[in-house]
Amino acid sequence: MNKANRSSEAASVNLSELLARVDNDRALLCELLSIFKREFPDHLQALRNAVAGNDADQAARVSHTLKGMLANLAVAKAAASASRLERLARAGEISSLGGALAGFEKDVQGLLPEMESYLAEARL
Amino acid sequence: MRILIADDDALSRRLLEKTLERANYEVTAVEDGRHAVEILSKPDAPRLALLDWMMPELDGPGICREIRKRRDQGYVYIILLTSKESKEDIVAGLESGADDYLVKPFDAEELKARLRTGERILHLENRLVEAREQMRFKATHDPLTSLWNRGVIMDLMGRELVRSQRERGCTAALLGDIDHFKSVNDTHGHLVGDQVLGEVARRLLLSVRSYDFVGRYGGEEFLIVLNNCRPDSAIARAEEIRKAICTRPIQTDAGLLGITMSLGVLLSSDWGRRPADELLREVDAALYAAKTAGRNCVRLAKREEPREVASAPQPAAERFR
């Protein structure tokens, strides 16, 4: 897993926290990572669309979901920027959403490949 | 212990499900509030619920409000899962009827500890319900025989009379009295007398249908209400009851005792619209006629006959029972 940690600067899952959360159940870990892999791209796209369309309600809903998923997988930094997005969207600060989204995208950069490598290792 | 999880996020739902299964809960997981309400409204619903605060359509507090509207079912202990930190939100959540809340991402040990609190509350409720049911039973049943007590059996008879009148049916009221019961008590003592009463009650219950009513009317007197009874079969059914008592002797601490019962029978269809207490007097007169006829027999309350008997100089209780 060290390889994975090295390969991504921004994303970084807190692996020990995550393993504690699944009670060291590798099969469950795989399952959760697969759910994430399957659902994350759609949510991200929905968030981009909402921000582009100035739809604050939708942006709040999607960022709330993303925040929950990321927090459950112990990706603290990205969860915090999703939380910031949610807060701004709820406050109706549409003009700030674009910048916040850019920040979020930066934080989740490399997250999927990182998950992928955990998945590969966990399956061994 | 069964538990319902409602969370629209598949990842969080799976994590919760697995964590709780590991803690030996029997988990039902749904992905929205409507399904949660549906499941919690079923008669055998889980009594513990873990609800995500934010869900499309119906959110956690919305589910709480729906569930708390109902008064007819057992208590559901509800924990909301939230990532909200503001006090106003938490107050609003608790005021919607939630019992507790937990901040996501949850800590498994804390979750389990809070669920144990919920189980304690549910256990307490179960004990209260049980105590209430016991009190209700005691208030409506005769302690010795566990049959309906006098007040209840008279109410039931009154209700059945009204119903059979409305439906143009027939209710049969049977008043049975154990013959020479006083001598059982005098000869063998009250303990043996109680054993006889208990066994007679058991045999009465066995000889009626599940929807008929049997009550202890007085000391050794039993009132039996046969609902929807065909008038031409009432006497035969009373005979069956009589035989159920006299055919086999009753086992008591004083050995086997031969016990018999006299019965008065009244068909509501013979008497038109009369109040229950008046009909009770008539069936009592028919019982008296059965005693006069030598006991261990059945007599029907007819419009004319019982009146003659009722004019006997002394009350039945003194002379014949």
Side-chain angles (χ1 to χ4, degrees):
Chain A
M1 303 227 174
N2 288 331
K3 194 179 72 187
N5 274 337
R6 279 196 308 274
S7 72
S8 67
E9 294 296 309
S12 46
V13 175
N14 182 339
L15 197 58
S16 61
E17 189 188 324
L18 179 54
L19 281 169
R21 191 157 293 153
V22 295
D23 203 11
N24 285 308
D25 181 339
R26 300 264 160 168
L28 177 59
L29 179 63
C30 283
E31 222 183 307
L32 298 183
L33 293 175
S34 304
I35 294 172
F36 183 80
K37 238 179 68 186
R38 193 177 64 228
E39 301 206 338
F40 179 73
D42 289 346
H43 288 309
L44 184 57
Q45 193 52 49
L47 182 61
R48 285 174 185 146
N49 294 344
V51 172
N54 289 330
D55 185 344
D57 284 349
Q58 176 68 3
R61 265 196 299 279
V62 181
S63 47
H64 176 81
T65 304
L66 283 165
K67 177 184 74 177
M69 293 177 91
L70 291 162
N72 270 327
L73 292 178
V75 195
K77 199 172 172 207
S81 57
S83 175
R84 179 160 173 267
L85 257 171
E86 184 189 358
R87 212 165 44 241
L88 290 170
R90 284 202 198 286
E93 293 185 28
I94 292 173
S95 57
S96 317
L97 290 182
L101 175 62
F104 177 72
E105 297 235 27
K106 195 168 138 271
D107 287 338
V108 296
Q109 189 93 57
L111 187 56
L112 279 178
E114 189 182 338
M115 298 277 181
E116 197 72 63
S117 70
Y118 291 149
L119 204 51
E121 278 189 47
R123 274 181 182 144
L124 286 178
Chain B
M1 186 88 188
R2 289 157 62 220
I3 184 165
L4 174 79
I5 298 172
D7 197 327
D8 59 327
D9 172 16
L11 200 152
S12 167
R13 196 164 64 234
R14 184 67 189 123
L15 184 57
L16 277 170
E17 196 177 15
K18 195 76 191 182
T19 306
L20 293 175
E21 276 171 1
R22 251 190 225 124
N24 286 323
Y25 286 96
E26 202 181 310
V27 181
T28 306
V30 296
E31 55 181 85
D32 63 70
R34 285 277 157 232
H35 273 99
V37 169
E38 212 171 279
I39 288 175
L40 291 175
S41 303
K42 286 182 183 164
D44 59 341
R47 308 265 312 274
L48 276 176
L50 200 52
L51 310 174
D52 189 28
W53 192 300
M54 284 188 56
M55 283 184 286
E57 281 197 66
L58 191 63
D59 61 8
I63 302 170
C64 289
R65 278 189 288 273
E66 290 274 330
I67 297 305
R68 297 301 183 227
K69 271 188 217 157
R70 305 167 330 180
R71 294 262 173 262
D72 51 334
Q73 274 174 294
Y75 194 75
V76 181
Y77 190 90
I78 304 176
I79 300 180
L80 288 177
L81 280 172
T82 177
S83 52
K84 302 184 172 199
E85 290 96 27
S86 96
K87 260 194 184 125
E88 290 84 357
D89 283 334
I90 284 162
V91 169
L94 292 174
E95 284 188 344
S96 73
D99 295 287
D100 198 1
Y101 70 95
L102 200 58
V103 177
K104 287 201 291 192
F106 65 88
D107 175 81
E109 291 313 310
E110 186 182 351
L111 170 65
K112 285 185 252 176
R114 286 180 190 267
L115 286 172
R116 281 195 292 274
T117 304
E119 287 182 55
R120 280 200 299 275
I121 300 278
L122 293 176
H123 182 65
L124 190 62
E125 202 222 6
N126 287 345
R127 277 169 48 198
L128 287 171
V129 168
E130 217 171 273
R132 188 191 63 197
E133 289 310 310
Q134 272 174 16
M135 302 268 275
R136 190 174 286 170
F137 188 88
K138 279 184 185 162
T140 51
H141 289 75
D142 168 56
L144 179 65
T145 60
S146 293
L147 297 176
W148 294 115
N149 64 25
R150 182 186 172 101
V152 173
I153 190 68
M154 284 173 73
D155 277 354
L156 289 169
M157 177 176 158
R159 233 181 286 168
E160 281 310 312
L161 288 172
V162 170
R163 193 167 71 102
S164 59
Q165 234 161 39
R166 193 177 58 229
E167 295 172 1
R168 297 176 196 286
C170 176
T171 294
L174 278 55
L175 192 61
D177 187 281
I178 301 174
D179 297 322
H180 302 300
F181 183 70
K182 190 173 175 301
S183 79
V184 173
N185 273 338
D186 291 349
T187 315
H188 306 290
H190 285 278
L191 214 61
V192 169
D194 286 353
Q195 289 170 352
V196 168
L197 287 169
E199 176 60 15
V200 165
R202 201 183 67 84
R203 291 187 189 183
L204 291 179
L205 280 177
L206 286 174
S207 34
V208 299
R209 301 161 301 183
S210 60
Y211 48 92
D212 293 325
F213 302 120
V214 182
R216 187 166 175 206
Y217 187 68
E220 67 269 27
E221 262 188 314
F222 299 87
L223 180 58
I224 301 148
V225 180
L226 305 176
N227 310 309
N228 283 322
C229 182
R230 284 201 353 254
D232 56 355
S233 69
I235 292 291
R237 294 192 55 197
E239 277 294 333
E240 275 170 32
I241 289 171
R242 185 188 64 78
K243 284 180 199 148
I245 306 300
C246 71
T247 309
R248 278 178 301 117
I250 291 178
Q251 183 71 59
T252 69
D253 286 353
L256 288 170
L257 297 181
I259 298 293
T260 61
M261 177 175 265
S262 303
L263 291 119
V265 179
L266 179 142
L267 295 166
S268 67
S269 54
D270 287 348
W271 291 85
R273 198 180 292 265
R274 301 264 197 116
D277 53 349
E278 202 175 303
L279 293 183
L280 274 168
R281 273 202 301 280
E282 300 295 349
V283 73
D284 191 42
L287 166 62
Y288 177 81
K291 293 274 181 186
T292 322
R295 301 187 181 86
N296 192 21
C297 62
V298 173
R299 286 294 178 269
L300 182 67
K302 294 227 179 79
R303 283 208 157 178
E304 294 308 317
E305 274 175 24
R307 289 206 182 119
E308 288 169 23
V309 183
S311 67
Q314 280 182 28
E318 308 262 319
R319 293 191 63 197
F320 293 99
R321 291 176 192 183

